Amino acid sequence: MKLLQRNHPHSFPQSLTRTKTSDGWHLEANSKPNALTFTEFKALYSKCGEILHRGTIRTIETEEPISKPDYDEVIRWSHKVVELLNEHVVARANGKGLYHISLKTESGGPACSVFSGFSGGAVNVATYNLEVHEGAVENDAAA
């Protein structure tokens, strides 16, 4: 993650709220207060590493069983991840645009819109709607 951030400092997703207006859509980044932040992601990554690499089978078997507060913490973290990823934007690696990802759209499936070509108050948008069929993903591109 450090290498990714060094080479592409805006690679971490930003939560997004999308509101339909009379003119189209209003997009507001970082608008969900409970969404996972980059700082929280680093803490969670570290915590997961500690749990995954906590010792041998013998030492793990002697530990106390997982408690309700432990499960509650996992649920809190999962809600933060879902709040971030349900609808988010990520800056393109070339710095010339954004990816807008919606995991559930009005059609019921996920979609990705690629924003590029910003000039004179206009932007090019290509949207890719995905349809999920019995475990397979098909791409239905619409520009």
Side-chain angles (χ1 to χ4, degrees):
M1 201 60 187
K2 287 180 185 177
L3 180 61
L4 179 62
Q5 282 293 300
R6 188 173 345 127
N7 292 328
H8 184 51
H10 303 291
S11 61
F12 191 77
Q14 297 179 40
S15 67
L16 186 78
T17 302
R18 181 172 48 134
T19 310
K20 192 163 185 116
T21 67
S22 59
D23 298 329
W25 292 96
H26 173 76
L27 306 176
E28 187 176 348
N30 293 320
S31 54
K32 298 179 182 175
N34 195 41
L36 186 73
T37 65
F38 183 62
T39 301
E40 290 171 329
F41 169 79
K42 291 190 295 186
L44 178 59
Y45 186 85
S46 176
K47 187 172 194 70
C48 289
E50 290 171 12
I51 292 169
L52 290 172
H53 306 288
R54 63 183 185 216
T56 65
I57 298 278
R58 283 196 176 125
T59 59
I60 292 171
E61 287 176 341
T62 62
E63 292 180 3
E64 293 291 319
I66 297 173
S67 65
K68 182 172 180 340
D70 294 329
Y71 283 111
D72 291 343
E73 183 177 7
V74 169
I75 290 168
R76 276 192 304 276
W77 281 112
S78 69
H79 287 177
K80 292 182 90 47
V81 170
V82 168
E83 190 73 3
L84 170 64
L85 296 180
N86 265 342
E87 188 142 11
H88 62 280
V89 291
V90 177
R92 294 181 67 187
N94 64 8
K96 297 179 181 174
L98 299 167
Y99 295 107
H100 168 211
I101 297 92
S102 298
L103 297 183
K104 188 169 184 184
T105 61
E106 292 172 346
S107 65
C112 175
S113 297
V114 181
F115 291 68
S116 61
F118 296 90
S119 67
V123 62
N124 294 324
V125 180
T127 298
Y128 303 90
N129 293 304
L130 304 173
E131 294 182 28
V132 180
H133 297 279
E134 297 184 36
V137 176
E138 294 180 16
N139 184 349
D140 175 30

